[in-house]
Amino acid sequence: MTTAPLSSASGPLPFAGEPPRPVQVWPDRFAARYRAAGYWRNETFGAWLRERATAHPDRLAVVGGEHRWTYAELDRRASALASGFLAAGLQPGDRVLVHLPNIPDFIAVVMGLFRAGLIPVYALPAHRITEIEHFAQGSGARAYVAAASHAGFDYTGLARELQARQPRVAHIWIAAAAAAPAPTDPFPRLETLYAMDGSALPASISQGADVAFLQISGGSTGLSKLIPRTHDDYIYTLRESARICGLGPDSVFLGVLPIAHNFPMSSPGFLGALYAGGRVVLCPSPDPESAFALIEREGVTVTSLVPPLLLQWLDRAPVSVHDLRSLRAIQVGGAKLSAEIARRVRPTLGATLQQVFGMAEGLVNYTRLDDPDELIIHTQGRPISPDDEILILDDEGRPVEPGQAGHLLTRGPYTIRAYHDNPSANARAFTEDGYYRTGDVVRMTPEGYLEVQGRAGDHINRAGDKISAEEIEDHLLSHPQVFDAAVVSVPDEFLGERSCAFVIPKGGRPRPADLKRWIRARGIADFKVPDQIVFVEAFASTAALKISRKALRAQLRAQLLEQEAQARTEP
Ligand code: OOB
């Protein structure tokens, strides 16, 4: 069986020197099975948007800021952008970095890219130049679309730096929204493209098996990897997620989490809501009051949250002036939700909790809306598809006894078989027979539901934002006063986990605040800056015994927890 893609679904391999085109290949036998089962239907994003816009042109599709776009308007804007992108010289199959907050332009841009056969690469608003450059390089992107500024950050400056570092990114468009253009800003406005006439473009030039976009991995080891998802596999998840979550034309989905993330994008997210003919309302700020005001005004029926945000909602809802009674379901995922908090959802918010345990690489599990409370409160759900194959293995790779915890591996009709252009990561992350090693430790209940126990790997899940220990250690090691560093996760009441960096200084001890500033200045997302820094003389026994980083991190984490427990018991 081959896990390495050999040929592109949309044509021959690129010529030498060009970055490779993203492909995703399932072995023929599996692809045939997924087609025969009706999961893959050769639907494409461009085509279904056009179908919806033809079937119900005047129905509202996207609401955000001052904009209220119908399906016809969204379809027209997508075509206009598509023709603008192509007129600028981009070619179908080219990659385009999308770095936008929760504004309607986000949706028009990705739909426009799909229509043009261009491949979006999704970055989170929190990402900074180091991550963006990494994505640009890894994907071979030729264009970058960003907002002028958002949440106090100037993306125009980032765009300038990106172009200086990666001249291949030849096209940049800035969505100005309300921001005034900076006097020295040389970039064309995205808005000017809306005036293009895209009516001659076909609804779609892509095939179901083509890669539709590149999603970003949580980055469990080292830097984030690029995840090629096809129209076929992703649209299958939209269709089934919308069904499982009961979405239809009357559904109103509120996008609160950054919609570039896989969860609010497709589980069922904004794409699932549009697929089902419903309405998407975008909330540019995670502040509960902004969300509550929109819920009341727009009659929001469903939204997706990470556990710490849910906690804020649970706190604020009882004292809010806003009427939240339209909410039918609240989905929570991205990180483990405790049963105590899960229990409070229905009494406080009047909506059914749906736990969602998913990953950008594929597999998504849901508790079902009509499940007994016991399952909704205590488990993270069961897979979308009858063809999601689940293995739970011990450290030696043998299946655990039923009900025991072990490493979760999976393969199925929407779980990737390979990352983009990354043989070493692929060798680690996928078994020879195509299972993806999720890095999660889970147990399965007798009903076939999964309970997430934790992570086997060294990453920190900080309120749903994933941080690779290795990536942050590398940044710390670049500081002249850092001899060695190990980054670990520490349980945190509010965030679920926070990050703690153990640092062995050299040539004098830097101040923790200076180290944090240093890391921030490396141009990385703020959530990756260590929450806590602990200086130590040495890492016990590492030098002598050469224990692995993994063992070292485990040892340091245990020490810290012990010290904290002691501090709590001391009078
Ligand atoms: C979602 O996707 P990613 O790619 O940011 O992160 C995936 C990882 C999982 O492997 C797991 O470690 C963790 O996030 N995770 C959860 C969880 N949901 C995700 N851990 C415990 N409980 C949960 N409910 O985070 C994602 C993608 C699609 C839907 C939902 C979440």
Side-chain angles (χ1 to χ4, degrees):
M1 203 226 60
T2 155
T3 51
L6 298 176
S7 66
S8 158
S10 53
L13 288 170
F15 55 86
E18 270 293 286
R21 276 195 167 205
V23 288
Q24 188 57 253
V25 176
W26 280 261
D28 290 343
R29 162 168 86 82
F30 286 85
R33 181 163 119 203
Y34 301 151
R35 283 198 191 94
Y39 307 148
W40 296 356
R41 299 181 181 171
N42 198 24
E43 265 183 292
T44 61
F45 285 93
W48 70 249
L49 177 62
R50 176 60 49 80
E51 274 165 33
R52 306 294 183 275
T54 308
H56 41 76
D58 301 326
R59 196 187 289 168
L60 267 185
V62 179
V63 174
E66 277 82 68
H67 298 289
R68 302 181 78 77
W69 295 344
T70 61
Y71 274 85
E73 178 65 12
L74 175 61
D75 187 64
R76 187 199 67 75
R77 284 177 183 263
S79 290
L81 291 180
S83 70
F85 295 143
L86 294 172
L90 293 174
Q91 309 267 338
D94 280 344
R95 275 74 70 202
V96 177
L97 283 162
V98 178
H99 200 188
L100 293 167
N102 288 5
I103 54 175
D105 298 297
F106 185 111
I107 299 180
V109 165
V110 302
M111 288 299 185
L113 294 171
F114 292 146
R115 179 140 295 155
L118 294 160
I119 297 182
V121 184
Y122 299 126
L124 295 172
H127 286 138
R128 296 292 178 256
I129 182 66
T130 301
E131 287 111 350
I132 297 297
E133 186 185 8
H134 173 68
F135 303 149
Q137 206 161 29
S139 66
R142 292 191 59 210
Y144 173 74
V145 183
S149 68
H150 171 68
F153 183 75
D154 168 25
Y155 292 86
T156 314
L158 191 155
R160 241 183 262 123
E161 186 149 8
L162 176 65
Q163 214 163 35
R165 295 190 192 186
Q166 294 283 323
R168 196 185 152 78
V169 183
H171 305 275
I172 289 182
W173 287 279
I174 299 292
T184 55
D185 167 10
F187 303 119
R189 294 277 163 254
L190 180 76
E191 288 76 5
T192 58
L193 301 184
Y194 287 132
M196 300 286 291
D197 178 6
S199 58
L201 283 183
S204 174
I205 59 161
S206 307
Q207 298 296 312
D210 290 338
V211 167
F213 58 83
L214 293 172
Q215 187 57 275
I216 304 299
S217 81
S220 44
T221 42
L223 294 166
S224 285
K225 298 169 283 284
L226 297 169
I227 299 172
R229 301 287 302 258
T230 64
H231 293 262
D232 269 339
D233 89 77
Y234 212 63
I235 291 174
Y236 169 50
T237 72
L238 299 184
R239 191 187 315 123
E240 282 307 296
S241 297
R243 190 183 58 74
I244 291 168
C245 305
L247 294 195
D250 296 331
S251 301
V252 182
F253 172 79
L254 182 70
V256 181
L257 299 173
I259 58 171
H261 187 272
N262 199 58
F263 178 24
M265 179 176 289
S266 67
S267 304
F270 80 87
L271 286 174
L274 293 175
Y275 188 84
R279 183 188 311 173
V280 175
V281 177
L282 295 177
C283 186
S285 134
D287 159 58
E289 280 303 318
S290 321
F292 291 174
L294 283 172
I295 292 171
E296 179 174 51
R297 194 183 85 193
E298 302 293 334
V300 168
T301 60
V302 56
T303 189
S304 44
L305 303 176
V306 288
L309 203 50
L310 171 68
L311 258 182
Q312 291 184 19
W313 282 38
L314 289 169
D315 264 7
R316 297 283 286 280
V319 292
S320 172
V321 295
H322 295 293
D323 181 351
L324 307 180
R325 280 174 301 176
S326 59
L327 273 176
R328 280 179 225 144
I330 298 209
Q331 304 181 290
V332 181
K336 179 80 183 263
L337 177 65
S338 75
E340 295 79 75
I341 298 167
R343 237 188 283 282
R344 292 169 54 196
V345 172
R346 201 195 299 272
T348 313
L349 294 166
T352 303
L353 168 68
Q354 178 167 54
Q355 296 216 37
V356 189
F357 162 43
M359 52 210 72
E361 284 81 355
L363 181 71
V364 179
N365 304 273
Y366 294 102
T367 56
R368 305 313 199 246
L369 297 175
D370 57 357
D371 275 340
D373 272 1
E374 186 59 21
L375 288 175
I376 291 182
I377 286 167
H378 291 281
T379 80
Q380 280 65 59
R382 65 179 160 87
I384 288 180
S385 176
D387 271 300
D388 280 321
E389 297 172 77
I390 299 288
L391 296 178
I392 303 178
L393 305 180
D394 66 17
D395 288 344
E396 276 72 51
R398 287 178 307 237
V400 297
E401 293 295 320
Q404 296 300 304
H407 303 277
L408 170 67
L409 284 78
T410 184
R411 67 180 184 191
Y414 59 97
T415 296
I416 58 165
R417 295 288 184 134
Y419 290 109
H420 173 59
D421 194 24
N422 201 335
S424 59
N426 287 339
R428 279 194 307 271
F430 299 91
T431 66
E432 253 172 41
D433 46 4
Y435 281 90
Y436 167 56
R437 296 190 171 94
T438 66
D440 293 313
V441 175
V442 304
R443 65 175 285 271
M444 191 181 271
T445 69
E447 299 87 357
Y449 281 57
L450 298 177
E451 270 177 33
V452 181
Q453 314 281 306
R455 292 275 312 170
D458 282 317
H459 90 187
I460 299 115
N461 187 339
R462 187 183 188 276
D465 284 320
K466 317 300 180 316
I467 307 166
S468 148
E470 195 180 313
E471 181 185 344
I472 305 312
E473 288 165 5
D474 286 346
H475 285 299
L476 283 164
L477 286 168
S478 70
H479 190 281
Q481 286 176 294
V482 172
F483 174 71
D484 201 356
V487 175
V488 306
S489 71
V490 189
D492 184 277
E493 214 177 312
F494 179 63
L495 297 166
E497 290 177 15
R498 64 176 191 273
S499 62
C500 175
F502 288 87
V503 172
I504 305 177
K506 68 174 175 204
R509 176 184 287 200
R511 294 192 329 189
D514 291 339
L515 259 188
K516 289 187 186 185
R517 239 192 311 277
W518 165 272
I519 298 228
R520 210 168 269 122
R522 306 269 298 166
I524 61 168
D526 222 46
F527 65 77
K528 296 182 184 172
V529 176
D531 294 297
Q532 194 179 350
I533 293 180
V534 176
F535 290 101
V536 288
E537 293 289 308
F539 292 148
S541 72
T542 34
L545 300 177
K546 275 202 184 312
I547 65 171
S548 71
R549 293 298 302 168
K550 193 176 160 63
L552 168 66
R553 292 185 192 116
Q555 200 181 69
L556 289 169
R557 189 182 304 119
Q559 266 170 29
L560 188 75
L561 293 181
E562 198 176 311
Q563 278 165 12
E564 284 187 355
Q566 255 172 21
R568 271 197 298 275
T569 54
E570 275 164 17

